[in-house]
Amino acid sequence: MTDLFDHMAAPATPASTKASQVRPRSRFAALSAREILLFAGAAATFVWGAWVTKSVAAQGSGQQEFVQLQLQGIIGEYLQAQARSNADEQTAARQTAVFMAALDETVSGLSRSGKVVLVHEAIVGGEVPDVTQSVKTAVYAKVPRPQPAQALGAAPQGQAARVEQEMQAFMAANQGRQRDGKP
C-alpha cells in the first residue's frame, strides 16, 4: 500500500534555515505551567507528610508504654472472696461497687501516666510487662479484702457437701432435657 503523499516532493529549504528551525527541547517544555505547579504542590505535600509522620512518631515513642493486666483474675478473685464472706447482699453489693470504683481509678491512673493497658487475654505474643500485682496492691490499699465467714466446726464442708448433693439432684432431674425444657 502506498501513501497518498509519497509522490509529493519536500519543499526545498536551505540547510541554514533548517538548523535555525530545530531547537533542542527543554525537559519541562512539554509540561504546562499548571502541571508544573501541581507537581510542585504534590512534592511539597509529600515532604510535609513525611515530616509530620516523623514528628508524631518521635513524640509518641517516649511517652507510651504497653502493659498487661489480668483484669478478669483480679475481679474474679474479689468476687470469690466476697461470696465466701458473711456479708449480707446489700453490704456485698456496696463493697463490690467500692472495689470496682477503686480498680477503675487505679487503671485510669496507669493510663494517665502514659501507659497503654492491655487486658492479659488480648496479648498474643511478645514481651509486655505485667502490672497485675501492683494494681492489686494499689486497689487493696484503698479497699479491704473481704474476709471469709467464720466457720463453726465442719460447717463449710457440710455446706459444700449439701451444695454438691443439690447440684447432682438437679442434674439427675434435668438429664436428657434441652435448654428450652423440651425433651
Side-chain angles (χ1 to χ4, degrees):
M1 186 179 250
T2 60
D3 192 10
L4 294 175
F5 299 103
D6 281 345
H7 66 283
M8 297 181 74
T13 57
S16 63
T17 312
K18 277 188 178 180
S20 64
Q21 289 178 351
V22 177
R23 291 185 212 156
R25 289 189 163 209
S26 162
R27 288 185 181 183
F28 297 108
L31 299 175
S32 70
R34 181 174 185 237
E35 291 171 331
I36 292 172
L37 286 175
L38 285 174
F39 178 74
T45 302
F46 176 76
V47 170
W48 176 78
W51 174 75
V52 167
T53 301
K54 180 182 173 190
S55 298
V56 168
Q59 182 183 31
S61 65
Q63 293 181 350
Q64 292 184 338
E65 176 187 358
F66 289 99
V67 294
Q68 66 176 312
L69 176 63
Q70 295 177 8
L71 192 60
Q72 181 180 0
I74 293 173
I75 294 171
E77 179 183 289
Y78 179 83
L79 293 177
Q80 283 181 356
Q82 190 62 263
R84 291 183 183 125
S85 73
N86 60 356
D88 61 53
E89 191 173 319
Q90 291 176 347
T91 304
R94 189 174 52 251
Q95 289 174 346
T96 301
V98 169
F99 170 80
M100 294 302 286
L103 181 61
D104 184 48
E105 179 184 331
T106 304
V107 173
S108 295
L110 286 171
S111 180
R112 283 190 301 272
S113 70
K115 292 182 176 22
V116 177
V117 180
L118 303 172
V119 180
H120 176 73
E121 289 77 13
I123 307 296
V124 176
E127 295 295 321
V128 178
D130 191 353
V131 295
T132 303
Q133 194 58 43
S134 62
V135 168
K136 269 190 203 180
T137 304
V139 169
Y140 286 128
K142 299 173 188 173
V143 178
R145 288 181 191 256
Q147 297 300 317
Q150 297 295 327
L152 298 174
Q157 291 175 347
Q159 184 179 8
R162 183 178 55 81
V163 169
E164 183 178 355
Q165 288 173 353
E166 288 177 7
M167 288 177 66
Q168 287 175 351
F170 176 80
M171 296 298 285
N174 292 315
Q175 188 175 22
R177 290 189 183 175
Q178 296 178 356
R179 287 189 162 192
D180 60 358
K182 297 178 184 175

